[in-house]
Amino acid sequence: MLETWRWFDSNDPISLKKIAQAGASGIVSSLNEIPTGDVWPLDNLLVRKSMIEEAGLTWDVVESIPVHNDIKTRTGDFEKLIENYKQSIVNVGNAGIKYVCYNFMPVVDWTRTNLDYLLENTGSALRFDMVDFVAYDVYILCRKNASASYSDELIAEAKAYFERMSEEQVSMLESNIIAGLPGGEGSYTRETIKAAIEEFIALGEDGLRANLIKFLAEIVPVAESVGVNMCIHPDDPPFSLFGLPRVVSTQDDVRKILSGIDSQSNGLTLCAGSFGARGDNNLEDMVKEFGSKIHFVHLRNVVREDNGSFYEAEHLDGDNDMVGLIDALLQEESKRREKGINMPIPMRPDHGHLLEDESASPNVKPGYSYLGRLKGLAELRGVIHALSYRK
């Protein structure tokens, strides 16, 4: 497997030198300075690539070229936005980058309610707490008909929690959910997020999936022509938020996407933490079924709770069998080699705990500490080497 590391840009507090010292050989990056919907210029890609290569690393995966919400709803200027996306793919291919990770999550991107959840070892992790989320959705955002999305028990727990919350706690929860994380075209206010939610609820799951397939029907042939493999990232969390439709949450969802456009360039990012937040997703079975279409892997683990809550665990701990998953991925790579296909799977340690030396730093991105990911990469590398040696 190809060991990679998420690097944001020259403003990232984690330098390329530190990444090389961590032992990664590849970089996962994005042109975050380009507004969603605009074309990624080839010159910008080449400048970024040159910076990476001068550090002795390679730019292996783009994560990600954001998909504008108008493309997802097929409203507004979506046709022009799709043409821009095609040109960005062409430019990525011409820059020599072979993988593009993207997602089709409506309104909000990855969502957590607590970005600093205290662990027993006094480090901290990202957490999604269902009671906290329901309190926000029903009693703070006051989304129309929100209570219909949850059980009576969850509503009661959320109400009790909301009534104990201070104004500071309300502000922090809102910031964690909608203000601080990427949401397509930017962050939201309560009013703008409610309007966006209503538009996608009206579209529904079938409508959103149909729009994804239409998008891929236009994008995939372009990707094929320049040697780029598209790899869709699952919903995070892999269940409905705000009553929104979700179309990349289960093994059956992936099956529909990959069969909808039958091309090697139409592939999957297997995010163990996202898919693994559902107990009914079997990660090893997914590797066996979709193996040849798995173009990129995020390795992280979670501890699931009965009400849908979860927190991000040690990479080798938690409810997902990380050793079994890595074994299945190594077997997939072996199958490729037997067929004469030279396509090692890029993987990166996804997220990481915030540990002591970085806990006071204001510049650490939630989930993207250096020490936490360094620890995770070392642990994952050990598993890979042990399994490879055994074979």
XYZ file of all heavy atoms in Angstrom, residues 7 9-10 16 46-56:
120
model
N -2.125 16.941 3.263
C -1.435 18.221 3.438
C -2.279 19.295 2.771
O -2.666 19.157 1.610
C -0.042 18.171 2.807
C 0.776 19.419 3.003
C 1.243 19.914 4.176
C 1.238 20.314 1.983
N 1.965 21.065 3.969
C 1.984 21.331 2.621
C 1.104 20.358 0.593
C 2.573 22.386 1.918
C 1.695 21.395 -0.112
C 2.431 22.397 0.557
N -1.839 22.969 2.420
C -1.119 23.880 1.530
C 0.046 24.463 2.316
O 0.359 24.000 3.417
C -2.025 24.998 0.980
C -2.793 25.737 2.052
O -2.201 25.995 3.125
O -3.973 26.068 1.849
N 0.686 25.490 1.760
C 1.861 26.058 2.432
C 1.530 26.695 3.773
O 2.422 26.973 4.580
C 2.542 27.086 1.519
O 1.629 28.103 1.154
N 5.927 19.933 4.865
C 6.265 18.772 4.044
C 7.464 18.026 4.618
O 7.545 16.794 4.522
C 6.543 19.225 2.608
C 5.313 19.709 1.826
C 5.748 20.372 0.523
C 4.352 18.556 1.536
N 0.520 22.682 -11.052
C 1.939 22.410 -11.267
C 2.811 23.056 -10.200
O 3.825 22.488 -9.784
C 2.349 22.867 -12.666
C 1.720 22.078 -13.817
C 2.101 22.696 -15.160
C 2.128 20.606 -13.768
N 2.424 24.247 -9.751
C 3.173 24.902 -8.670
C 3.086 24.069 -7.395
O 4.091 23.828 -6.708
C 2.652 26.337 -8.428
C 3.210 26.897 -7.121
C 3.030 27.243 -9.592
N 1.881 23.614 -7.060
C 1.701 22.785 -5.863
C 2.493 21.471 -6.000
O 3.169 21.034 -5.061
C 0.209 22.489 -5.647
C -0.119 21.573 -4.469
C 0.144 22.230 -3.127
N -0.627 23.443 -2.997
C -1.905 23.497 -2.580
N -2.539 22.388 -2.236
N -2.534 24.654 -2.477
N 2.406 20.865 -7.166
C 3.107 19.608 -7.393
C 4.617 19.785 -7.249
O 5.314 18.941 -6.665
C 2.765 19.053 -8.771
C 3.346 17.671 -9.037
C 2.972 17.183 -10.421
C 3.524 15.773 -10.649
N 3.294 15.320 -12.037
N 5.138 20.902 -7.773
C 6.576 21.173 -7.694
C 7.019 21.319 -6.238
O 8.080 20.808 -5.840
C 6.919 22.438 -8.479
O 8.285 22.748 -8.361
N 6.224 22.013 -5.421
C 6.538 22.167 -3.996
C 6.645 20.806 -3.324
O 7.560 20.552 -2.533
C 5.456 22.994 -3.295
C 5.387 24.452 -3.700
S 3.956 25.279 -2.944
C 4.324 25.082 -1.209
N 5.712 19.933 -3.649
C 5.670 18.606 -3.039
C 6.879 17.778 -3.476
O 7.537 17.118 -2.656
C 4.344 17.906 -3.412
C 3.166 18.615 -2.713
C 4.379 16.429 -3.054
C 1.798 18.216 -3.222
N 7.183 17.826 -4.771
C 8.285 17.009 -5.288
C 9.640 17.512 -4.803
O 10.567 16.722 -4.597
C 8.223 16.970 -6.812
C 7.030 16.175 -7.327
C 6.930 16.150 -8.836
O 7.601 16.985 -9.500
O 6.174 15.303 -9.355
N 9.762 18.820 -4.600
C 11.012 19.360 -4.070
C 11.288 18.865 -2.649
O 12.442 18.854 -2.200
C 10.971 20.894 -4.094
C 11.123 21.486 -5.484
C 10.915 22.984 -5.506
O 10.722 23.578 -4.421
O 10.943 23.571 -6.605
N 10.225 18.437 -1.954
C 10.384 17.880 -0.606
C 10.629 16.379 -0.640
O 10.680 15.731 0.412
C 9.145 18.202 0.232
N 10.774 15.817 -1.847
C 11.032 14.391 -1.974
C 9.794 13.525 -1.893
O 9.887 12.310 -1.682
